[in-house]
Amino acid sequence: MLWAAAGVATLGFLVTLEIAARRYGLPGPITNQAQELIFAPTSGPLLYACMALMTVVLTWRQRFITVGAAIGIDVAFLLVRWAVDAEVPEGHHPYGNGALWVLVGYAVIAVTRRTGRERVLLLKGVGLGLLLVAGRKTGDTWLLITSKTRTAVLDQYVATADQALGNPSWLAGRIVTATGPIGDHVLGFVYAQLAVAAVIVALYQLRNVAVERRFPSHHLVRTFLVIGLLGPAIYMIFPVVGPVFAYGTGAFGTGEGWAAANLWPDMPLPIDTPHPMAYDEITPRNCMPSLHTAWATAIFIHSRKGPRILRFAGTFWLIATLGATLGFGYHYGVDLVAGVVFALTIEAALRLLDRGWEWPGIQLVTYGATVFAALLVSYRYLPMEMAKHPWVSGPLLLLAMASVVYGYVRTTKLSDPKAAPAQQPQPQPRLEPV
């Protein structure tokens, strides 16, 4: 019943977003996802990653058949496109349809060919895969809505507050520019394929589902989806476009004159009284908090209990994501601070639901939410004070974030079950001969 209720709530949310998008003449998440059954998808790698996530409920033989079926369907689509001379639009992939068809096919198999626990398990696997890709489409629609409904942005407030940290986006932007195409391509790949990295960590966490015939109570996909669900609501409250747009020429050098000044990343930002500024109706207001930072933080946390190579990958993805968000001018430094606090608070809340309402966990969630709200309030109403006294406000920002990190580490150590020490064999009494 819980899964059914979650499914109904998710469907209702998607329908609501579809209706909202249609009001602005845009296709919603349901339409965008349905189009990828036929047309070249925009999320080819993600579709295959979601299909891989679904296969955790299958046997190895079924997995090989599944992958073969997806590739075969994609080859058929490629041949049809070649025969009709249909070009793949820029930003789309020539593959991925097969993975989506396989996901839909397994949903039909679960309903028509499975019963009891096997049906529930297969539906959970399909739902997990479809939820992740639906979350991507939902996020895209949310971003479009923010650009249409929030005509004024608060970048000047955030940029002024960011001077408490020394304008890290300006510094990172110059570093990425100095590294040339190599750094640009590596960081660009890391930034774009964050969801694929999450699936890799989730596959490790869910590796025993096919054997145990049940899902673990808490895993990375849950945190990933909740971050993506709640984050855009903050965008509506605190619309920010990012330094490359507000103080540069746009992400691809195609700025349309909306920037307050062309300063990023070469010229330092002057301290001036901030005010809301108008911006176009195309650029998403998706900076505060940095959800890429929040997602990368979640990947880092959930990779800690994996093998060494997974822990190394989680650390690399977090560092590279932070470098990309700053170096490409997509975020300010204070966005990243808020993103870390946001991720840890959500992760703590989900662990609380999983392990029971323990008092240390309740304290951590309350404290994290308070710190996050205090950060937003200070960025909005105290930016000038933060910029004029960086040696005080900068360390205070980092200390606030570090306190949430410390609280999370301390609370999880207390709540995680400790392995019982192995009992040593007791020496047997020695019998002396009579």
Side-chain angles (χ1 to χ4, degrees):
M1 291 180 64
L2 182 61
W3 276 83
V8 171
T10 302
L11 181 60
F13 179 68
L14 291 174
V15 171
T16 302
L17 273 184
E18 183 77 25
I19 296 172
R22 293 289 178 179
R23 289 184 59 187
Y24 296 101
L26 302 169
I30 298 176
T31 301
N32 284 329
Q33 192 60 71
Q35 288 176 343
E36 294 191 344
L37 286 169
I38 304 298
F39 301 103
T42 58
S43 50
L46 179 61
L47 286 170
Y48 267 93
C50 292
M51 185 192 72
L53 197 61
M54 181 272 299
T55 61
V56 297
V57 304
L58 306 178
T59 63
W60 277 107
R61 178 176 177 273
Q62 292 170 333
R63 290 169 186 171
F64 285 121
I65 295 174
T66 298
V67 173
I71 295 175
I73 294 172
D74 268 336
V75 170
F77 270 89
L78 284 172
L79 292 175
V80 171
R81 291 191 186 107
W82 174 76
V84 300
D85 197 22
E87 294 184 359
V88 176
E90 185 179 357
H92 293 66
H93 297 92
Y95 59 89
N97 305 92
L100 184 57
W101 274 104
V102 165
L103 283 168
V104 174
Y106 269 107
V108 174
I109 290 174
V111 174
T112 60
R113 303 293 297 275
R114 297 288 189 271
T115 58
R117 294 183 60 186
E118 291 301 314
R119 172 186 288 176
V120 173
L121 185 68
L122 185 54
L123 284 175
K124 285 183 179 180
V126 173
L128 204 61
L130 289 177
L131 269 178
L132 195 57
V133 71
R136 171 70 175 271
K137 300 301 179 185
T138 300
D140 293 343
T141 303
W142 260 118
L143 297 185
L144 289 171
I145 291 175
T146 63
S147 66
K148 297 294 184 182
T149 60
R150 296 297 179 263
T151 55
V153 297
L154 304 179
D155 279 77
Q156 293 190 25
Y157 294 89
V158 180
T160 303
D162 202 42
Q163 298 193 47
L165 300 176
N167 292 324
S169 181
W170 268 250
L171 175 61
R174 292 194 293 270
I175 293 175
V176 171
T177 302
T179 60
I182 296 178
D184 184 83
H185 290 151
V186 171
L187 293 180
F189 175 81
V190 169
Y191 191 84
Q193 303 302 331
L194 189 66
V196 177
V199 169
I200 293 173
V201 176
L203 286 173
Y204 175 79
Q205 292 182 318
L206 304 176
R207 65 193 183 280
N208 295 323
V209 169
V211 177
E212 299 176 354
R213 313 310 293 167
R214 64 179 182 86
F215 279 86
S217 56
H218 180 53
H219 49 81
L220 175 59
V221 180
R222 292 178 64 193
T223 307
F224 221 73
L225 291 171
V226 174
I227 288 174
L229 179 65
L230 298 181
I234 310 299
Y235 295 161
M236 302 293 287
I237 300 172
F238 210 111
V240 181
V241 293
V244 71
F245 297 101
Y247 294 98
T249 58
F252 304 103
T254 57
E256 298 295 335
W258 291 93
N262 189 4
L263 303 175
W264 186 90
D266 300 316
M267 299 176 62
L269 189 68
I271 298 178
D272 196 7
T273 304
H275 59 271
M277 55 181 282
Y279 212 81
D280 64 24
E281 297 184 1
I282 301 174
T283 306
R285 281 59 164 155
N286 60 337
C287 281
M288 181 61 67
S290 169
L291 292 197
H292 267 76
T293 298
W295 283 321
T297 302
I299 290 173
F300 175 81
I301 292 171
H302 284 265
S303 65
R304 293 307 87 195
K305 293 185 178 181
R308 179 178 298 178
I309 187 172
L310 196 64
R311 297 197 303 270
F312 173 80
T315 304
F316 166 77
W317 222 272
L318 175 61
I319 295 174
T321 300
L322 297 181
T325 56
L326 292 174
F328 291 148
Y330 296 152
H331 289 281
Y332 303 92
V334 290
D335 299 342
L336 275 59
V337 173
V340 171
V341 175
F342 187 69
L344 293 176
T345 303
I346 289 177
E347 177 67 19
L350 292 175
R351 287 174 61 90
L352 194 64
L353 291 174
D354 175 36
R355 300 179 185 276
W357 296 93
E358 302 172 339
W359 179 241
I362 297 174
Q363 286 180 308
L364 176 60
V365 173
T366 304
Y367 178 70
T370 303
V371 170
F372 181 73
L375 290 175
L376 296 186
V377 171
S378 64
Y379 299 161
R380 178 61 177 84
Y381 296 105
L382 300 174
M384 289 294 292
E385 288 74 10
M386 296 172 68
K388 290 178 180 178
H389 305 91
W391 294 106
V392 176
S393 54
L396 283 177
L397 282 177
L398 297 178
L399 182 62
M401 180 184 71
S403 66
V404 178
V405 173
Y406 172 76
Y408 177 83
V409 173
R410 183 174 179 272
T411 304
T412 52
K413 283 184 177 180
L414 291 174
S415 62
D416 281 344
K418 297 179 175 61
Q423 294 185 354
Q424 300 294 329
Q426 298 295 328
Q428 297 294 325
R430 187 175 178 181
L431 301 177
E432 297 291 341
V434 177

